[in-house]
Amino acid sequence: MGERICFDSFDLSLRDHYNEDWIVRFDPDDMSQVLVSNAKRLKSGRVDKEIGTLQYVLQRDIKVPMALADQKPEHFEYRARVDRFNTEMVETVKEKVKEVDRRITTICQRIPEIAAGTVLDRYLITDSLGQHKDVRSKMRDDATDADFMEVTQHITRQSVAMASTGTDDEDYDYNPLDMNFSR
């Protein structure tokens, strides 16, 4: 109806279906909640048919006033619900991180060469062509070909005195020691 409305879902399983296409069903007289159902979309972008194996009821987003005096009991309930959801989400993310760590540990136990390697080895990061070993070999070759030379400049009091006497500006005493502040 030309109005943009945001809806919330406090069901974590909805995030597992981000790649689905959805049909939204609503009552024009009561927009406090909508029903979304998965669907099959044609290449043209139009919906071909409703599949209906996934359905979620979404609640309309509530705008909570900033001032406590302006807030009503339903605003406090909504904020408490959001806080509970965020706490659950933190725990869910921690569990997923533990699961990923367990998988990586299992892979490292199966393939011991990976455990002692670089970040590329640990996470099997590939280039745009899907190559992993070529990138790793090139990095190793580049590291062995590098030559290092340390260059330092020593400033003595004598060079400071010589530099300060040859200036045209009488109001400023040049001191090269002052120029090393950024190093």
Side-chain angles (χ1 to χ4, degrees):
M1 310 229 198
E3 181 183 0
R4 185 178 193 101
I5 302 173
C6 295
F7 292 88
D8 284 333
S9 172
F10 292 101
D11 189 349
L12 290 175
S13 66
L14 179 61
R15 293 177 182 232
D16 297 333
H17 307 288
Y18 66 90
N19 57 341
E20 293 284 337
D21 294 316
W22 301 95
I23 290 178
V24 180
R25 300 192 186 282
F26 60 91
D27 178 7
D29 296 329
D30 180 20
M31 295 295 292
S32 63
Q33 60 184 6
V34 296
L35 174 69
V36 294
S37 180
N38 61 331
K40 181 180 177 187
R41 186 176 301 269
L42 298 173
K43 290 186 180 187
S44 65
R46 295 185 53 96
V47 173
D48 182 27
K49 65 179 180 176
E50 180 178 2
I51 299 171
T53 56
L54 300 170
Q55 293 183 341
Y56 293 95
V57 175
L58 307 178
Q59 304 297 322
R60 188 173 186 160
D61 186 27
I62 297 174
K63 304 294 183 213
V64 179
M66 292 294 287
L68 289 174
D70 295 339
Q71 293 182 11
K72 298 176 182 167
E74 60 263 15
H75 295 134
F76 291 108
E77 292 169 11
Y78 179 75
R79 284 191 9 222
R81 188 173 179 195
V82 169
D83 288 342
R84 279 193 307 274
F85 177 78
N86 289 341
T87 303
E88 291 173 13
M89 178 60 81
V90 168
E91 294 304 317
T92 303
V93 169
K94 285 180 182 179
E95 288 300 318
K96 285 185 179 183
V97 167
K98 287 179 185 177
E99 178 61 29
V100 168
D101 287 345
R102 282 192 291 270
R103 288 183 184 179
I104 290 173
T105 302
T106 304
I107 291 171
C108 289
Q109 289 170 349
R110 288 186 202 159
I111 309 169
E113 299 86 32
I114 292 177
T118 64
V119 171
L120 281 175
D121 293 328
R122 287 195 303 267
Y123 298 109
L124 301 175
I125 299 172
T126 60
D127 62 7
S128 62
L129 301 175
Q131 300 299 311
H132 171 70
K133 291 181 181 177
D134 294 343
V135 175
R136 186 180 58 188
S137 298
K138 183 175 181 338
M139 287 176 50
R140 184 175 53 240
D141 293 343
D142 290 346
T144 57
D145 293 342
D147 292 327
F148 297 98
M149 180 187 309
E150 186 174 339
V151 179
T152 59
Q153 178 184 4
H154 296 286
I155 300 174
T156 61
R157 295 280 177 207
Q158 184 179 10
S159 64
V160 171
M162 288 175 53
S164 64
T165 57
T167 63
D168 293 337
D169 188 6
E170 298 296 321
D171 296 338
Y172 177 74
D173 291 330
Y174 173 74
N175 185 350
L177 293 174
D178 293 340
M179 302 309 290
N180 291 330
F181 65 91
S182 64
R183 292 192 177 102

